[in-house]
């Protein structure tokens, strides 16, 4: 049945080993971010089988799926007040930014006779989670470190998610200064500095000695074998661990631009087209419910993605050496958003090799 998502665990294992070797040279541990593949246990175990000791996800439902795998679990999204009990039950480590959240975790952990680790997040300009400014960080740490049932494991930052703020050398030095001031003024040692995500690999590859942090939370780079700032391939890694196959349900020669008056589509503004006359076009049984058509890369040379609606993927196949026909199956590499959507879609069959 199609569409079909094909996942190569062998190729994924190769990516893990290639990226882990880069991190090991700088004494950096990886948290494997599993939300991109919905924490499917058969895929998650590839990480634990290849030396990854912490699995991280933003959703409790996914942490539950991985509870029988070895290693620790990290909740990557800030804990919601309504889920504190489950956070303490299924996560070993949480990322926090509010003292009130840490206090709720403390109460729950103490009641259970457990110790729950927290990493205090700092907003370094990406406009997502974290305390803002050095003084807010110092106040938060001073309060949190005294809570019973809580281990202050360290500090962390995030980049390239909302604001597109890059993990530059200047940002890393700013984070380093915060760590040093905290340790000096509070008289503590921060065990973990979670310095970012897959976007940090770009600077790390260019300047291997640029890091002082000892942890990165990596998802996309593992899954796609590419760093995420310049989208460059990582040596020894693969960009086809996840591939989708879709069947052609129509193939005709048609105009390359719409006719008559046009307006917005069901997904926003009216798209722009260049009129190239009649072109050979194919439609696949695949759509925005299953993938992000902007992150879909045809394997066969000469195929161009024109666009997609909910259920139809439209392709220009005029320049294919061998013209595809009705019923043929085409294969595509996937960007991160397409991997996530295809894993989430109940309409996409999953084949894990």
């Amino acid at each position: 049945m199609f569409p079909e998502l094909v996942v190569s665990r062998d190729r994924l294992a190769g990516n893990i080993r290639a990226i882990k070797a880069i991190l090991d040279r700088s004494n950096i541990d990886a948290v494997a971010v599993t939300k991109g593949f919905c924490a499917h246990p058969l895929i998650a175990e590839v990480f634990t089988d290849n030396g990854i000791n912490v699995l991280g996800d933003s959703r409790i439902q996914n942490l539950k799926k991985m509870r029988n795998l070895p290693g620790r679990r990290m909740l990557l999204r800030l804990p919601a007040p309504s889920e504190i009990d489950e956070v303490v039950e299924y996560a070993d480590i949480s990322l926090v930014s509010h003292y009130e959240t840490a206090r709720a975790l403390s109460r729950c952990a103490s009641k259970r006779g457990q110790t729950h680790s927290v990493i205090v997040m700092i907003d370094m300009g990406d406009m997502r989670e974290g305390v803002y400014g050095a003084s807010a960080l110092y106040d938060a740490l001073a309060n949190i470190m005294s809570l019973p049932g809580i281990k202050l494991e360290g500090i962390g930052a995030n980049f390239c998610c909302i604001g597109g703020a890059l993990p530059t050398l200047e940002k890393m030095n700013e984070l380093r200064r915060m760590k040093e001031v905290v340790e000096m003024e509070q008289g503590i040692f921060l065990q973990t500095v979670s310095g970012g995500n897959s976007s940090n690999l770009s600077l790390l590859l260019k300047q291997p000695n640029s890091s002082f942090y000892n942890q990165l939370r990596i998802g996309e780079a593992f899954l796609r074998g590419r760093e995420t700032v310049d989208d460059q391939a990582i040596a020894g890694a693969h960009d086809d661990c996840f591939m989708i196959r879709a069947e052609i349900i129509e193939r005709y020669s048609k105009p390359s631009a719409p006719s008559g008056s046009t307006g917005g589509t069901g997904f926003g503004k009216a798209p722009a087209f260049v009129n190239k006359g009649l072109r050979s076009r194919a439609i696949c049984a695949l759509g925005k419910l299953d993938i992000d058509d902007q992150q879909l890369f045809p394997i066969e040379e000469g195929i161009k993605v024109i666009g997609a609606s909910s259920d139809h993927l439209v392709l220009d196949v005029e320049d294919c050496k061998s013209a595809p026909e009705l019923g043929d199956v085409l294969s595509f590499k996937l960007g991160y958003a397409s991997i996530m959507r295809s894993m989430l879609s109940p309409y996409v069959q999953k084949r894990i090799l």
Side-chain angles (χ1 to χ4, degrees):
M1 292 288 293
F2 300 101
E4 177 188 59
L5 179 68
V6 181
V7 183
S8 171
R9 302 202 312 162
D10 284 345
R11 288 181 175 270
L12 179 59
N15 287 6
I16 296 167
R17 291 192 293 268
I19 293 171
K20 191 172 183 301
I22 295 168
L23 300 181
D24 286 348
R25 288 196 289 270
S26 296
N27 296 312
I28 298 172
D29 293 325
V31 176
V33 178
T34 61
K35 61 184 178 181
F37 53 89
C38 301
H40 194 298
L42 289 178
I43 303 174
E45 71 179 7
V46 180
F47 290 89
T48 57
D49 286 347
N50 284 276
I52 302 298
N53 298 315
V54 184
L55 301 175
D57 207 289
S58 297
R59 289 165 171 77
I60 294 294
Q61 298 96 315
N62 285 345
L63 294 182
K64 289 179 181 179
K65 294 180 188 178
M66 303 184 292
R67 61 183 177 270
N68 294 324
L69 293 176
R72 303 173 79 197
R73 307 286 172 271
M74 177 185 286
L75 181 64
L76 298 174
R77 186 166 63 187
L78 304 178
S82 61
E83 63 182 8
I84 293 297
D85 286 350
E86 287 195 303
V87 172
V88 173
E89 181 174 358
Y90 293 106
D92 303 291
I93 316 160
S94 296
L95 309 183
V96 300
S97 64
H98 274 281
Y99 167 70
E100 291 80 3
T101 302
R103 185 173 58 185
L105 292 168
S106 166
R107 289 171 178 163
C108 182
S110 296
K111 188 183 300 183
R112 289 171 170 268
Q114 297 176 216
T115 299
H116 188 79
S117 293
V118 298
I119 291 174
V120 177
M121 296 298 287
I122 309 164
D123 185 345
M124 300 289 293
D126 195 53
M127 302 169 62
R128 211 177 73 173
E129 78 274 39
V131 298
Y132 188 73
S135 61
L137 172 65
Y138 305 150
D139 290 344
L141 293 175
N143 290 321
I144 290 172
M145 62 187 294
S146 63
L147 289 171
I150 292 294
K151 177 185 177 183
L152 175 59
E153 189 155 316
I155 57 175
N158 195 60
F159 298 96
C160 289
C161 282
I162 296 293
L166 294 171
T168 60
L169 192 57
E170 291 74 20
K171 292 287 186 183
M172 293 298 100
N173 286 334
E174 183 182 352
L175 187 60
R176 182 203 299 264
R177 286 192 293 271
M178 289 185 185
K179 172 185 182 290
E180 291 172 347
V181 170
V182 165
E183 291 182 331
M184 181 177 65
E185 291 191 355
Q186 301 289 347
I188 60 174
F189 171 69
L190 295 175
Q191 173 185 330
T192 300
V193 179
S194 194
N197 52 35
S198 294
S199 64
N200 290 64
L201 289 173
S202 178
L203 179 63
L204 194 62
L205 288 166
K206 295 170 186 173
Q207 301 182 45
N209 297 321
S210 63
S211 70
F212 76 97
Y213 49 84
N214 58 2
Q215 185 187 86
L216 289 177
R217 307 175 306 279
I218 295 182
E220 181 175 353
F222 279 139
L223 305 187
R224 296 190 60 234
R226 309 179 78 88
E227 56 82 20
T228 60
V229 172
D230 303 310
D231 197 38
Q232 296 299 305
I234 294 170
H238 310 277
D239 64 356
D240 57 355
C241 301
F242 292 76
M243 293 180 60
I244 201 161
R245 303 173 70 224
E247 189 173 11
I248 294 176
I249 55 175
E250 178 184 290
R251 212 281 295 160
Y252 286 126
S253 288
K254 291 187 177 184
S256 54
S259 60
S261 300
T262 61
T265 69
F267 292 90
K269 298 179 181 178
F273 293 91
V274 176
N275 193 338
K276 298 180 179 180
L278 288 177
R279 301 281 292 181
S280 180
R281 289 203 339 212
I283 298 177
C284 285
L286 188 70
K288 288 181 182 289
L289 285 171
D290 314 302
I291 45 84
D292 179 346
D293 55 296
Q294 300 299 309
Q295 294 194 12
L296 198 65
F297 311 107
I299 294 296
E300 187 171 342
E301 191 174 344
I303 297 178
K304 182 180 178 182
V305 175
I306 300 300
S309 61
S310 302
D311 315 294
H312 298 76
L313 176 69
V314 180
L315 307 168
D316 184 316
V317 297
E318 180 75 27
D319 298 327
C320 286
K321 292 181 180 179
S322 177
E325 297 295 341
L326 178 69
D328 286 353
V329 175
L330 301 179
S331 296
F332 304 83
K333 296 180 185 180
L334 303 173
Y336 191 50
S338 282
I339 292 173
M340 288 192 290
R341 282 198 200 176
S342 59
M343 284 297 303
L344 281 167
S345 175
Y347 312 114
V348 176
Q349 303 295 313
K350 281 76 174 177
R351 181 156 59 99
I352 300 173
L353 304 178

